[in-house]
Amino acid sequence: LCYPKLYEECNLSHQDIHNEYYRNILSVMEFLNKKNETIDVMSIVDVASRTGKIEKIGGIKLLTEMSGEQFTPSSFAKNQKILIENKRKYETLLLMNKKMNELLEEDLSTFQEKLFTDLNNITDSTVTDEDKGDIKEALKEVIEDMQTERNGTTGASTGFIMLDDYLDGFKREKLVIIGARPGAGKTAIMLNMVKTHSVDNKGPSVVFNMEMSSSELIKRMISNIGNIESGLMRNPMKTFKEKHWNDTMNSIGVLGNSKMRIFDKPSIDMAYIKQKCRSVAREFPNEHMLVFIDYLQLIKGDPKLETNKNLQIGEISKALKVLTRELKCTVICLSQLGRSVEQRQDKRP
């Protein structure tokens, strides 16, 4: 009312105001703004009078009192932030009361994921940051990036020179799908990538494997790191020589000090994947985390989409992409392709 130009900085809508009089006053201000009319006491009184709502805004007396209050524009952002914070607290209180009943009826992991989403929606419902969308800072970053001389890739190394050249490494906030028919070596390639990131480059890796146990995967990693023939790993007590035992112990030491985490539940859903990834991201803040999933079709999707597998896979892929943005990580997901490719002359997918 005192400084109408501040309306341009207002992130509140009339629904955000709990007090009825103030809510209706802001509603009239929104109406005036849409009509490109001046926001002042007389305009608000005029609109309220014509619509028969003068009493709903507390009358002329309240408006006059408000416009006469001491107020400095510099405190606007701070006051608005307090209002938004109180609104969020109120909405969170209502949500928690509602969720108490749902907790008794739903599966715990599903409930936790829905609760996390609902709480995020409350946070996102009102814009509170002061980002004006100014691109100057981004332009500065681009120039600095272009003027930086690089040796190698800008993303995390894949472990394969030609692939690094082609992709420029694994970039943050990217979802990468590696598709091949069964038995083509998808898991072997994945483990090589895990080794490169977590053993060679000391970065955090999260591995979700639904077909193999952690111990089986670790045996393959030991074989890879120690350069031990996989056939010898089947019965080490018979086949190992002293050198093999030394290489194994060295490999175990290297793996024990790595930032690799393996989750081998035979049945997992997106709620489980998100929960574990967030936990590891908190353990290694600001580091480039790679998430490996073996494989896409084994992730449990929404039961409502069970009859349409393509739609279910699409929803899972979308959720994985959102996860990369949220945690600023890279997700590498293996995908099983049909064996019908064997019948074709050209076997490229």
Side-chain angles (χ1 to χ4, degrees):
L1 281 172
C2 304
Y3 302 92
K5 286 189 177 180
L6 282 173
Y7 186 85
E8 295 169 14
E9 297 176 32
C10 183
N11 293 321
L12 292 158
S13 74
H14 68 276
Q15 290 103 328
D16 298 328
I17 307 298
H18 191 68
N19 179 287
E20 185 185 358
Y21 291 147
Y22 301 150
R23 183 167 64 246
N24 291 328
I25 290 169
L26 190 54
S27 177
V28 176
M29 286 181 168
E30 289 169 2
F31 173 80
L32 289 168
N33 184 61
K34 281 180 187 173
K35 297 279 186 180
N36 290 319
E37 293 181 20
T38 306
I39 296 172
D40 57 26
V41 173
M42 291 310 298
S43 301
I44 293 170
V45 170
D46 179 51
V47 171
S49 300
R50 281 191 281 114
T51 54
K53 294 179 180 177
I54 192 71
E55 296 305 319
K56 290 189 175 180
I57 64 168
I60 299 173
K61 184 183 175 187
L62 177 61
L63 283 170
T64 307
E65 286 174 0
M66 288 170 63
S67 61
E69 286 180 9
Q70 293 299 310
F71 175 80
T72 54
S74 59
S75 63
F76 181 81
K78 178 188 170 187
N79 291 339
Q80 178 171 244
K81 203 169 183 180
I82 292 169
L83 277 173
I84 290 170
E85 186 69 19
N86 286 338
K87 177 210 170 196
R88 285 178 175 170
K89 284 180 181 177
Y90 180 68
E91 288 184 350
T92 303
L93 186 63
L94 293 178
L95 176 67
M96 298 312 287
N97 287 334
K98 178 186 168 190
K99 288 289 179 184
M100 288 294 286
N101 295 325
E102 291 181 20
L103 175 58
L104 302 173
E105 298 168 8
E106 289 192 1
D107 169 68
L108 184 58
S109 64
T110 305
F111 170 80
Q112 287 172 330
E113 183 56 31
K114 282 184 179 177
L115 177 61
F116 186 83
T117 303
D118 289 341
L119 288 171
N120 265 354
N121 288 339
I122 290 174
T123 303
D124 296 339
S125 62
T126 311
V127 179
T128 57
D129 63 39
E130 296 176 6
D131 185 2
K132 304 293 185 188
D134 195 330
I135 65 168
K136 290 186 181 66
E137 196 59 38
L139 287 170
K140 183 182 170 187
E141 286 177 18
V142 169
I143 292 296
E144 286 175 358
D145 183 62
M146 291 172 70
Q147 291 177 341
T148 303
E149 189 176 340
R150 294 186 187 84
N151 295 312
T153 59
T154 57
S157 175
T158 66
F160 300 92
I161 295 169
M162 288 177 71
L163 193 57
D164 277 345
D165 288 342
Y166 186 73
L167 297 177
D168 196 20
F170 287 136
K171 299 290 190 73
R172 288 178 184 263
E173 300 186 27
K174 292 288 183 183
L175 170 62
V176 180
I177 306 285
I178 300 176
R181 62 174 176 74
K186 295 187 296 295
T187 303
I189 277 190
M190 178 190 81
L191 291 178
N192 200 85
M193 292 171 171
V194 174
K195 172 187 172 289
T196 299
H197 190 63
S198 282
V199 175
D200 300 340
N201 298 329
K202 315 296 183 194
S205 294
V206 187
V207 181
F208 295 95
N209 195 296
M210 290 151 269
E211 287 201 309
M212 267 187 237
S213 67
S214 293
S215 55
E216 286 179 278
L217 275 176
I218 288 169
K219 275 185 183 177
R220 291 183 67 166
M221 292 290 290
I222 289 170
S223 173
N224 188 325
I225 296 166
N227 200 22
I228 302 165
E229 191 183 329
S230 56
L232 300 176
M233 297 290 292
R234 293 190 191 114
N235 193 350
M237 292 302 289
K238 277 189 176 180
T239 57
F240 269 23
K241 295 178 180 174
E242 187 179 350
K243 179 186 181 303
H244 297 132
W245 284 115
N246 290 336
D247 290 340
T248 298
M249 291 302 112
N250 289 334
S251 301
I252 288 171
V254 166
L255 284 171
N257 291 320
S258 74
K259 297 173 183 175
M260 180 174 68
R261 302 291 181 266
I262 299 175
F263 301 99
D264 62 352
K265 271 177 68 172
S267 177
I268 64 172
D269 56 15
M270 278 308 304
Y272 180 83
I273 290 171
K274 289 176 183 177
Q275 180 193 359
K276 296 303 179 187
C277 287
R278 286 170 187 146
S279 174
V280 177
R282 284 194 298 272
E283 192 181 349
F284 305 109
N286 304 320
E287 294 192 49
H288 187 175
M289 181 173 75
L290 300 190
V291 179
F292 297 88
I293 301 172
D294 189 5
Y295 57 90
L296 179 61
Q297 286 80 1
L298 290 179
I299 301 171
K300 273 199 317 189
D302 187 342
K304 294 174 189 169
L305 303 175
E306 201 62 56
T307 53
N308 191 332
K309 199 66 180 171
N310 284 338
L311 200 57
Q312 201 176 49
I313 293 294
E315 284 299 308
I316 292 168
S317 301
K318 182 180 171 185
L320 290 172
K321 178 61 184 175
V322 170
L323 183 67
T324 67
R325 297 295 306 275
E326 179 193 333
L327 300 180
K328 295 195 174 357
C329 64
T330 309
V331 173
I332 300 97
C333 192
L334 307 187
S335 179
Q336 201 83 288
L337 302 183
R339 287 185 184 273
S340 54
V341 67
E342 300 296 341
Q343 312 305 317
R344 298 206 313 260
Q345 190 65 37
D346 181 1
K347 294 179 173 51
R348 289 177 300 177

